[in-house]
């Protein structure tokens, strides 16, 4: 797993830098009969789709940037949240037959070999195993061969249908007493989007054999069903049976982090480090938390620890540069960013580094350098909403109102979840006398960040203007 920490900082000047359901009867019946249906309005702290409702008092967007779903930027990019797993059975069935090609496998060797050995024929240009000719019933009766064959079909060929057929035949042959096959059937159901069926298989497997992996798979099912509280209880029950298990503690920390309960998440990440002091994800997330808690010196210690462990990538040097700058260790700031630019593997990473260099330039007062850095950010990533917003602020300082307005409109359309572009549009419109547009933009800013005091004051002033008119 590759760590990736995009710490997008923010600075403040005159303007803010960036840093009910109407169903018919058929629809109601469909929801009642759908086992995978999720409640439309969740109770506070019980949903990953509405993390802003957490009871833990998460960080505000003014302190810590948030994603479009409302979650704070974490210190670690996780495959489970980044991977594009199919969410419905239709999508899963339409996935390619193999991991190497989207074309279905074809074979012209059937006329030359006996049907019994046709499936095992290999040639340099063809597939290793011709799945369309496999006699799954025969291989299901050979447990050792069946397990290896299942893993090849499931992981390499990505053919969930054939893998599920083989697992079903094998578990039937084992008289439903082999927990391993139940776990594999659950994995196939999970891939197909049949989460309730997967839950039943994992629970049945846990009754036969208590395994950490099965607990983790079952927790993934609950998270996909948007039941983080159930997943938390499952992890805590697992810790009673497997005390000190790092993966279970880390799972609890991730859930708390995704529901905006950052303080509890940090405590569990510290518990992870007590068990495994080389756990990259825990070190990265604790460092990120300290950075956004105005403790760059402490965050610097955690990132230096990662450097000592051998983590050597663009994201780490990017964060080292930010921590050095805010900890006033200016001698190391630019060299860290130079190393980050050298190690950047794609244009998105390069854009993040140039964006943060723009904030360093704002911090030292060199606005011309900041302008160039934000321009270079957009050269590398044309969808960088924060850079558009900050360029608009710089254009406004130069008196270029129309350019600033165009940049802010671009930023607000690219990232409607950020409050800064909406607030800046409100300020700009209020200055030029367009009070109606200013009020509309201020309402959008308040919707994105209800606790922003400046937005509330602006709305109050505009209401007074309207009352006078």
């Amino acid at each position: 797993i590759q760590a990736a920490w995009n710490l997008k900082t923010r600075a403040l000047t005159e303007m803010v830098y960036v840093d009910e359901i109407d169903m018919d009867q058929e629809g109601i019946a469909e929801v009642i009969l759908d086992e995978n249906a999720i409640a439309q309005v969740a109770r506070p702290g019980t949903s990953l789709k509405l993390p802003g409702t957490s009871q833990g008092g998460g960080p505000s967007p003014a302190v810590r940037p948030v994603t479009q779903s409302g979650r704070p930027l974490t210190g670690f990019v996780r495959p489970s949240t980044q991977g594009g797993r199919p969410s419905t059975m239709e999508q899963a069935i339409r996935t390619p037959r193999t991991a190497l090609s989207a074309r279905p496998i074809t074979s012209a060797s059937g006329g030359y070999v006996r049907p019994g050995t046709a499936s095992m024929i290999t040639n340099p240009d063809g597939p290793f195993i011709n799945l369309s000719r496999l006699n799954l019933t025969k291989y299901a009766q050979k447990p050792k061969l069946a397990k290896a064959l299942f893993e090849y079909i499931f992981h390499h060929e990505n053919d969930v249908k054939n893998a599920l057929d083989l697992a079903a035949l094998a578990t039937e042959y084992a008289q439903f007493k082999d927990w391993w096959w139940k776990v594999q059937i659950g994995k196939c159901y999970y891939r197909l989007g049949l989460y309730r069926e997967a839950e039943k298989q994992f629970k049945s497997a846990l009754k036969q054999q208590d395994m950490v992996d099965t607990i983790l798979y079952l927790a993934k099912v609950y998270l996909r069903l948007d039941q983080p509280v159930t997943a938390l209880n499952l992890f805590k029950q697992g810790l009673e049976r497997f005390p000190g298990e790092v993966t279970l503690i880390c799972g609890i920390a991730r859930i708390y982090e995704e529901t905006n309960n950052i303080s509890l998440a940090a405590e569990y990440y510290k518990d992870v480090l007590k068990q495994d002091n080389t756990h990259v994800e825990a070190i990265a997330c604790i460092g990120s938390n300290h950075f956004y808690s105005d403790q760059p010196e402490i965050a610097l210690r955690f990132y230096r620890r990662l450097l000592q462990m051998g983590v050597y990538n663009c994201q780490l040097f990017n964060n080292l540069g930010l921590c050095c700058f805010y900890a006033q260790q200016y001698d190391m700031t630019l060299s860290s960013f130079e190393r980050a630019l050298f190690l950047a593997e794609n244009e998105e990473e390069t854009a993040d580094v140039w964006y943060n260099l723009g904030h360093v330039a704002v911090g030292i007062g060199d606005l011309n350098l900041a302008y160039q850095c934000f321009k270079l950010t957009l050269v590398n990533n044309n969808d960088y909403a924060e850079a558009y917003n900050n360029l608009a602020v710089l254009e406004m300082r130069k008196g270029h109102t129309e350019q600033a307005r165009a940049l802010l409109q671009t930023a607000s359309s690219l990232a409607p979840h950020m409050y800064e572009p909406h607030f800046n549009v409100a300020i700009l419109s209020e200055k030029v006398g367009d009070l109606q547009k200013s009020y509309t933009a201020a309402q959008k800013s308040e919707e994105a960040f209800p606790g922003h005091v400046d937005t509330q004051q602006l709305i109050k002033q505009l209401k007074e203007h309207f009352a006078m008119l």
Side-chain angles (χ1 to χ4, degrees):
I1 298 173
Q2 180 186 4
W5 309 281
N6 293 334
L7 302 184
K8 297 173 183 174
T9 61
R10 296 186 172 124
L12 293 174
T13 59
E14 296 172 4
M15 298 173 74
V16 181
Y17 276 97
V18 180
D19 251 339
E20 279 172 36
I21 299 173
D22 185 14
M23 284 190 180
D24 56 8
Q25 292 181 353
E26 292 180 4
I28 295 172
E30 185 179 349
V31 169
I32 292 173
L33 296 174
D34 186 5
E35 290 184 335
N36 296 321
I38 296 172
Q40 297 293 333
V41 181
R43 287 180 290 117
T46 62
S47 173
L48 296 176
K49 296 185 182 298
L50 297 170
T53 61
S54 171
Q55 295 170 333
S60 71
V63 177
R64 188 167 186 166
V66 296
T67 62
Q68 192 152 1
S69 61
R71 299 178 188 173
L73 281 181
T74 58
F76 200 84
V77 172
R78 305 180 180 93
S80 59
T81 57
Q82 297 292 317
R85 290 283 184 226
S87 57
T88 63
M89 185 183 291
E90 288 79 6
Q91 290 175 352
I93 291 173
R94 288 172 187 165
T95 51
R97 286 288 301 275
T98 71
L100 306 175
S101 169
R103 257 183 343 114
I105 298 172
T106 57
S107 174
S109 60
Y112 303 102
V113 292
R114 291 180 293 113
T117 56
S119 61
M120 289 301 180
I121 257 201
T122 59
N123 56 66
D125 302 323
F128 178 66
I129 295 176
N130 193 341
L131 298 181
S132 61
R133 293 183 174 275
L134 278 180
N135 184 355
L136 297 179
T137 307
K138 183 180 76 172
Y139 293 111
Q141 296 171 5
K142 301 176 181 179
K144 294 180 181 178
L145 181 60
K147 291 182 178 181
L149 182 60
F150 173 86
E151 292 192 340
Y152 175 82
I153 296 172
F154 186 80
H155 295 292
H156 184 271
E157 295 295 329
N158 193 28
D159 191 340
V160 182
K161 179 182 177 297
N162 277 324
L164 180 59
D165 291 342
L166 176 61
L169 291 168
T171 193
E172 186 178 350
Y173 178 76
Q175 298 178 350
F176 306 97
K177 294 179 181 178
D178 192 339
W179 65 271
W180 191 87
W181 283 115
K182 292 183 179 180
V183 172
Q184 307 316 310
I185 293 174
K187 286 161 66 176
C188 292
Y189 280 144
Y190 178 83
R191 188 75 68 86
L192 290 169
L194 302 172
Y195 302 122
R196 289 300 182 187
E197 282 77 4
E199 178 191 7
K200 293 173 186 175
Q201 295 294 331
F202 290 137
K203 281 185 173 180
S204 178
L206 276 175
K207 287 179 183 177
Q208 289 185 352
Q209 181 72 34
D210 210 2
M211 295 289 291
V212 175
D213 281 354
T214 314
I215 295 173
L216 295 173
Y217 281 124
L218 186 54
K220 280 182 70 175
V221 170
Y222 286 134
L223 290 177
R224 188 54 68 93
L225 287 171
D226 196 23
Q227 297 179 0
V229 177
T230 310
L232 277 175
N233 294 334
L234 179 67
F235 279 134
K236 290 175 181 177
Q237 291 169 12
L239 281 175
E240 293 175 2
R241 303 192 296 271
F242 301 97
E245 175 59 41
V246 170
T247 52
L248 299 180
I249 304 173
C250 190
I252 294 174
R254 288 177 181 177
I255 294 174
Y256 279 128
E257 193 172 37
E258 289 177 358
T259 53
N260 272 6
N261 200 335
I262 303 297
S263 56
L264 262 178
E267 292 299 321
Y268 276 98
Y269 279 127
K270 289 174 184 175
D271 290 341
V272 170
L273 292 183
K274 289 176 185 176
Q275 304 295 331
D276 178 10
N277 58 9
T278 60
H279 198 277
V280 175
E281 180 179 349
I283 296 173
C285 290
I286 293 174
S288 174
N289 188 37
H290 281 299
F291 177 83
Y292 286 118
S293 301
D294 287 334
Q295 297 172 322
E297 300 88 352
I298 302 176
L300 187 60
R301 291 171 54 191
F302 283 94
Y303 291 131
R304 284 176 59 193
R305 169 65 176 162
L306 288 175
L307 198 60
Q308 291 169 353
M309 286 166 47
V311 179
Y312 193 79
N313 56 24
C314 168
Q315 292 87 358
L316 180 56
F317 280 100
N318 176 45
N319 292 356
L320 284 169
L322 284 175
C323 291
C324 288
F325 176 70
Y326 285 107
Q328 299 182 1
Q329 299 183 15
Y330 301 120
D331 53 336
M332 290 293 294
T333 302
L334 290 179
S335 59
S336 296
F337 281 125
E338 284 177 1
R339 187 64 56 87
L341 285 172
F342 177 74
L343 293 172
E345 295 180 353
N346 53 52
E347 292 182 343
E348 284 77 12
E349 293 179 1
T350 307
D352 283 333
V353 179
W354 280 117
Y355 176 79
N356 290 329
L357 275 168
H359 270 288
V360 171
V362 170
I364 62 177
D366 192 344
L367 298 184
N368 289 326
L369 176 61
Y371 189 85
Q372 294 298 324
C373 289
F374 292 137
K375 281 284 189 183
L376 285 168
T377 303
L378 295 178
V379 167
N380 288 282
N381 184 1
N382 200 33
D383 292 336
Y384 215 105
E386 293 92 342
Y388 281 111
N389 179 81
N390 293 0
L391 274 175
V393 176
L394 294 176
E395 292 286 3
M396 188 61 196
R397 291 173 68 93
K398 293 179 182 179
H400 302 158
T401 307
E402 290 305 318
Q403 292 182 21
R405 186 192 298 275
L407 289 167
L408 287 173
Q409 286 177 348
T410 305
S412 58
S413 62
L414 286 173
H417 64 283
M418 291 195 316
Y419 76 95
E420 292 94 342
H422 299 303
F423 176 73
N424 291 345
V425 168
I427 290 287
L428 188 59
S429 301
E430 196 260 346
K431 283 185 177 179
V432 299
D434 191 348
L435 299 185
Q436 182 59 46
K437 188 170 185 179
S438 176
Y439 183 71
T440 305
Q443 283 184 319
K444 291 180 180 177
S445 173
E446 186 181 34
E447 184 180 345
F449 181 20
H452 191 222
V453 178
D454 292 338
T455 300
Q456 294 171 356
Q457 290 178 349
L458 179 61
I459 290 176
K460 185 179 178 181
Q461 290 176 7
L462 290 170
K463 285 181 177 178
E464 290 176 358
H465 279 301
F466 293 144
M468 291 172 62
L469 292 173

